Amino acid sequence: MEKTNIRTLILEALMLIDVEGEYSHKVIDMALEKYSYLSKADRGFFSKVVHGVVEYRLQLDFIIKKYNGGKRIKPVIREILRMAIYQILYMDRVPDRAIINEAVNLVKLRRLTALTGFVNGILRKISSEKETVSFDNIGIRYSMPEFLLDIIKENTGKYFDKTLEYFLEGRPVSIRVNTSKSKVTDVVKELEESNIRAERSSLNDAVLYIRGFDKVDDISVIKSGKCYITDVSSSMIAELIIPDNIKKVLDVCAAPGGKSFLLADKIDNEALIYSCDISENKVNLITENAKVQGFKNIIPLVADARVFNERFAESDLVVADLPCSGIGIIGKKPDIKYRLNAENMISLAILQKEILDNVSQYVKIGGELIFSTCTLNKAENEENVSLFLKNHSNFKAVDLTKRLKSILIEKFDKDELEKGYLKLIPGRDGCDGFFIAVFRRDDD
């Protein structure tokens, strides 16, 4: 078999992302599946460079513009420069001279020989001056669009800088143990026997951070359904419910099923959990994942969360983890920060309100509604909470200090908890940004 040129694959992936508009995590996953024969080192290198270039795009383009005098360049040359500069500044696996030579070779492979001198000259200059590179503009330093900086600052306060840093840090994969199948200690032991390092989360001891593996889908505890991939932030939903006497649950916008699994693992296995999403493909994904997890009380269904369905009435618990701007997961999906704008963020807040208005009708008297997003944006979070309570006088915010262990209460903002919501801040809590609000229906 002819040896695959890993840098050619990286360039192709970056062109798909930047020129064709594909999402980076999907491009990375598709490439790693197609070229599954790549070595562990090459797979890691491919993922790191592609993700890193997307993550640092604004900063890399600032550097290119500085050394290029602001002249226009071909898209393919821009991608070659981006991937080379990222390696020069943020990776030490390959010497700079080799990085530059590989970049020049890519230019030749693209039959743009006349531009080899241009690429070589810029990269050598950057390499020689990399120790003095600095960024006065905070948006360039953290590669974050200006309009998002204000939103993030408003939602993170004194943790603003740490949140921006967290978004750029490499993080381990997190998994939650399916405690209906296995003990956490047994899972840790099984991982360690496979030379995979596991560390418990301080927020949820059923969540583990894992390192030292190659293909996540090949990890035995995941293949067997003893664990599933999820961030500790979303797993906090399970810490906020009272599982007693829950017999009927509705989980809307549920794909790929993680919230349904949290609930199935927490409540009585005789309870019915309707796990719904808007398309057949998404529901099929829930079905496949639920089968692996072994939860037989999960009922996957196609349903539009905006349209009333009598079948879901009189639910003890409704979970609405809703479509959002995703600012809290920029660290995992950096494309988000380049695609967001004020208009679509307003549209998302309106969609969330529409869904909450509908699904609130399913909650029985004495039942609860959980509303969550993976964003840091008051218009989608706190303002929607206030609006919901104003328009639904039969619901009350639940004081979350009554639900969390005292050791966890100390980690969060107590005033927010008493108002009925929990906000996870990346720079403070070491996880994705996440928002959870709990309402109780009380018609009295």
Side-chain angles (χ1 to χ4, degrees), residues 70-289:
K71 298 175 183 176
R72 292 186 64 181
I73 54 177
K74 294 178 180 292
V76 68
I77 296 298
R78 181 174 63 240
E79 297 301 344
I80 291 171
L81 289 173
R82 284 173 173 170
M83 58 188 281
I85 296 167
Y86 174 76
Q87 292 174 74
I88 288 170
L89 295 183
Y90 296 107
M91 296 179 69
D92 55 11
R93 171 177 164 176
V94 180
D96 287 2
R97 63 180 181 280
I99 294 170
I100 296 167
N101 287 340
E102 291 290 352
V104 170
N105 288 336
L106 283 176
V107 176
K108 292 177 180 176
L109 286 172
R110 288 285 175 155
R111 299 181 180 180
L112 296 169
T113 308
L115 294 173
T116 55
F118 167 75
V119 169
N120 181 68
I122 281 187
L123 293 179
R124 287 190 180 281
K125 183 71 171 174
I126 292 170
S127 174
S128 68
E129 298 179 0
K130 67 179 181 180
E131 301 301 330
T132 62
V133 171
S134 63
F135 309 100
D136 296 330
N137 183 296
I138 193 170
I140 298 300
R141 188 191 318 160
Y142 293 109
S143 201
M144 186 68 68
E146 292 291 336
F147 92 99
L148 278 179
L149 288 173
D150 291 338
I151 295 172
I152 294 170
K153 187 168 187 177
E154 182 184 19
N155 285 271
T156 59
K158 65 181 181 180
Y159 301 101
F160 175 56
D161 286 340
K162 289 185 177 180
T163 293
L164 295 177
E165 289 169 6
Y166 182 85
F167 283 152
L168 295 176
E169 291 173 356
R171 292 163 302 281
V173 170
S174 59
I175 58 175
R176 185 183 184 276
V177 177
N178 178 352
T179 57
S180 68
K181 271 194 172 187
S182 185
K183 295 179 180 178
V184 177
T185 51
D186 292 339
V187 167
V188 171
K189 183 179 179 182
E190 187 173 339
L191 287 167
E192 289 176 345
E193 288 173 350
S194 301
N195 296 317
I196 297 173
R197 301 186 300 281
E199 176 189 355
R200 286 198 187 194
S201 164
S202 62
L203 295 179
N204 186 328
D205 60 10
V207 174
L208 303 172
Y209 300 109
I210 57 174
R211 297 176 173 86
F213 58 90
D214 181 12
K215 302 177 184 178
V216 68
D217 292 337
D218 289 345
I219 298 174
S220 61
V221 294
I222 293 178
K223 290 172 68 176
S224 64
K226 294 177 183 177
C227 299
Y228 54 93
I229 299 172
T230 190
D231 192 77
V232 67
S233 57
S234 59
S235 77
M236 294 302 292
I237 287 176
E239 303 300 305
L240 299 174
I241 67 170
I242 297 176
D244 303 336
N245 300 319
I246 293 179
K247 300 300 180 186
K248 182 178 180 180
V249 178
L250 172 64
D251 181 10
V252 300
C253 308
K259 312 298 184 307
S260 295
F261 306 152
L262 282 173
L263 300 170
D265 198 18
K266 183 98 172 182
I267 64 180
D268 190 293
N269 58 16
E270 296 298 318
L272 294 180
I273 300 175
Y274 293 99
S275 187
C276 306
D277 220 304
I278 197 166
S279 72
E280 195 74 43
N281 287 340
K282 289 187 174 184
V283 171
N284 287 340
L285 186 58
I286 297 171
T287 302
E288 293 169 10
N289 291 338

Side-chain angles (χ1 to χ4, degrees), residues 359-375:
V359 301
S360 67
Q361 301 177 83
Y362 301 135
V363 183
K364 67 187 292 186
I365 297 175
E368 294 186 350
L369 167 62
I370 294 179
F371 160 52
S372 63
T373 73
C374 58
T375 196

Side-chain angles (χ1 to χ4, degrees), residues 316-386:
D316 299 293
L317 177 66
V318 174
V319 176
D321 183 41
L322 300 184
C324 66
S325 56
I327 296 172
I329 57 172
I330 281 175
K332 290 178 179 174
K333 299 180 178 180
D335 316 63
I336 289 171
K337 59 187 175 183
Y338 307 119
R339 295 171 183 249
L340 281 178
N341 57 57
E343 184 177 338
N344 57 33
M345 291 172 75
I346 292 171
S347 297
L348 285 164
I350 293 171
L351 173 63
Q352 292 154 7
K353 175 188 175 297
E354 184 180 353
I355 292 175
L356 286 173
D357 285 344
N358 181 57
V359 301
S360 67
Q361 301 177 83
Y362 301 135
V363 183
K364 67 187 292 186
I365 297 175
E368 294 186 350
L369 167 62
I370 294 179
F371 160 52
S372 63
T373 73
C374 58
T375 196
L376 301 167
N377 180 21
K378 288 186 177 180
E380 297 174 78
N381 295 335
E382 290 95 327
E383 290 179 19
N384 261 336
V385 168
S386 296

